[in-house]
Amino acid sequence: MPVTEFDETECLFSNPKTGEKLRNYWGYSPLSFFAPKASYSSDSAHPLREFRDMVKTLHKAGIEVILDIVFNHTSEGGWGGPTTSFRGIDNPIYYLLDPQTREYLNFSGCGNTCNCNHPIVRTLIMDALHWWVIEMHVDGFRFDLASILGRDQNGNVLSNPPVVEMIAEDPVLANTKIIAEAWDAAGLYQVGHFSPHHRWAEWNGRFRDDVRMFMNGTPGMVAPLATRIAGSSDLYQHNGRRPCNSINFITSHDGFTLADLVSYNDKQNLANGENNRDGDNNNLSWDSGAPGPTDNPSVIALRQRRIKTMAAILFLSQGVPMLVAGDEFGQSQQGNNNAWCQDNAMSWLNWNLVEKNKGQVRFFRKLIQLRRKHAIFRRVNFFEVSNSDTPPTGQTILWQGLERGTEDWSEHVHTLSFLLKGSTIDDGDNDDFFIMLNGHPEQEALFTAPGPDAETGPCFWKKIIDTNEEAPEDILDLDRADCVAIGSRIQVKAMGCVVLQTAKKCSPKNRGRKRKKRR
């Protein structure tokens, strides 16, 4: 989240239960676009030096730094807010004002909206981006409520917003990553068409919503899920963009954590002091049969299965996966989906959960390892589409229903499987994968393992992932995985995922071996 200077004491709300004065914990309220938050530094006298040293150290470890940057509004807010800079310098240049009333137009939900396409404000934005790249050595930016960058001085949506084009074409920013949160707080939703420029990536809110709906049992979600898994070509292919333009996510800082997504039907925001009015009401969540904390073993097992299945969908889909810190070890915010003002244990990462939920952490680590090892999960271009009954030569994805050679996109269906033919590409390890997903909330499903393939002819599959199993049997290295013969029937539990990987040979000791669950 943002690292620019902000006033954490600006929050006007108190916890209604404890009376505690709440604080701005997230920082989406910039006082200056050029100043790192001094209190984030261990040496308040030299925050710039420390920030540079941090970035350089991360670079040495092979980690890029992408900043969450807020140009859509400032901490000055509406008329009731403080006057710290732009309002006193030239209010009608820096902010969008109603032509008649001269009130602030509020497309940000925070009281004011920056006039981003005014020449002076455009220059300010570009200067700030240059400063972070040249002086602080950062590698890219995620633009908060980026659709506001596309509005004119009256709030109308521009077809070719100057500042959006300038950011994409600027030579200083040529090697940076630029990512748009392609919507704003006034209902402008531009996912898939924020900008036709090939450099702009987007937070794919459609991916988030379609995965959530499939994984809460919503009917008619098999076809949309398949489109998201394949890289969202419906959103990005029409103007020459690629799967990497889709930043896939299921959760973000804004909303439920992954643990809360499977534990609550409704937001629990009373602690924010706004009588539960704040935060999104459309969470597309499901509590798995019991609200909040529970001792019910069947509910706990279903929640774990759903978390791992959603993680598998995220990391095995085309596009760039985004994971929220803490989701890998079960961080909860007690059902609060707007914890911006909770600078306390509700929001702080509980690192003790790493040991408590080490099996889940291992599952995420192994998924990341699998994705990095196999290029079939990181395709540069979209899959080739056939308009005939005969798949194109070398087609790398084949969709399947429960039976081999069949597809079922019916409204009532909750199951989807697909064959990824890594054997058709040269980059990385070239194994094939067969991935089975069951989005039914109660019923198990039986899939049939496909093959043999005319080109590669694998003799066996190996079951490397089964989200119904407990750690460490839920995800296995290939040499430890059980063999599955072609044509075998494979059980996938409700809300579960099973992944097979090709194996040319299968040791007898791995055939049909029964595993004991470890507790």
Side-chain angles (χ1 to χ4, degrees), residues 202-267:
E202 298 173 7
W203 269 24
N204 190 344
R206 292 278 299 277
F207 184 96
R208 172 200 60 201
D209 295 346
D210 289 348
V211 173
R212 287 188 180 197
M213 285 191 283
F214 178 81
M215 289 301 299
N216 69 13
T218 301
M221 293 309 302
V222 170
L225 179 68
T227 303
R228 303 300 148 236
I229 288 171
S232 296
S233 60
D234 61 329
L235 301 177
Y236 302 109
Q237 192 171 28
H238 67 280
N239 53 22
R241 289 191 285 175
R242 299 180 295 169
C244 65
N245 290 101
S246 175
I247 308 299
N248 298 333
F249 68 105
I250 299 172
T251 57
S252 67
H253 69 281
D254 191 2
F256 282 147
T257 66
L258 192 57
D260 289 349
L261 188 66
V262 300
S263 304
Y264 294 91
N265 291 340
D266 303 298
K267 64 186 182 184

Side-chain angles (χ1 to χ4, degrees), residues 43-159:
D43 182 0
S44 59
H46 301 97
L48 300 186
R49 183 174 66 192
E50 186 168 271
F51 190 94
R52 291 190 194 97
D53 290 345
M54 176 192 71
V55 173
K56 291 176 182 178
T57 303
L58 289 168
H59 284 172
K60 290 178 181 178
I63 298 172
E64 292 183 331
V65 177
I66 299 175
L67 295 188
D68 193 344
I69 199 84
V70 182
F71 290 125
N72 60 78
H73 74 283
T74 75
S75 61
E76 290 189 302
W79 285 117
T83 298
T84 57
S85 55
F86 304 121
R87 178 180 291 147
I89 296 171
D90 204 323
N91 194 51
I93 282 182
Y94 287 98
Y95 295 116
L96 301 185
L97 305 178
D98 185 282
Q100 276 74 47
T101 67
R102 310 308 288 168
E103 293 180 355
Y104 288 100
L105 299 179
N106 186 12
F107 298 109
S108 67
C110 297
N112 62 38
T113 306
C114 291
N115 188 9
C116 298
N117 283 291
H118 188 284
I120 290 178
V121 184
R122 288 204 309 264
T123 300
L124 174 72
I125 289 172
M126 298 307 298
D127 286 348
L129 295 174
H130 289 172
W131 185 80
W132 284 103
V133 171
I134 296 171
E135 300 295 334
M136 298 291 107
H137 311 295
V138 303
D139 304 284
F141 305 92
R142 176 265 190 189
F143 293 82
D144 181 62
L145 297 182
S147 288
I148 286 174
L149 298 176
R151 293 185 182 271
D152 67 14
Q153 64 181 3
N154 296 315
N156 300 315
V157 181
L158 296 164
S159 57

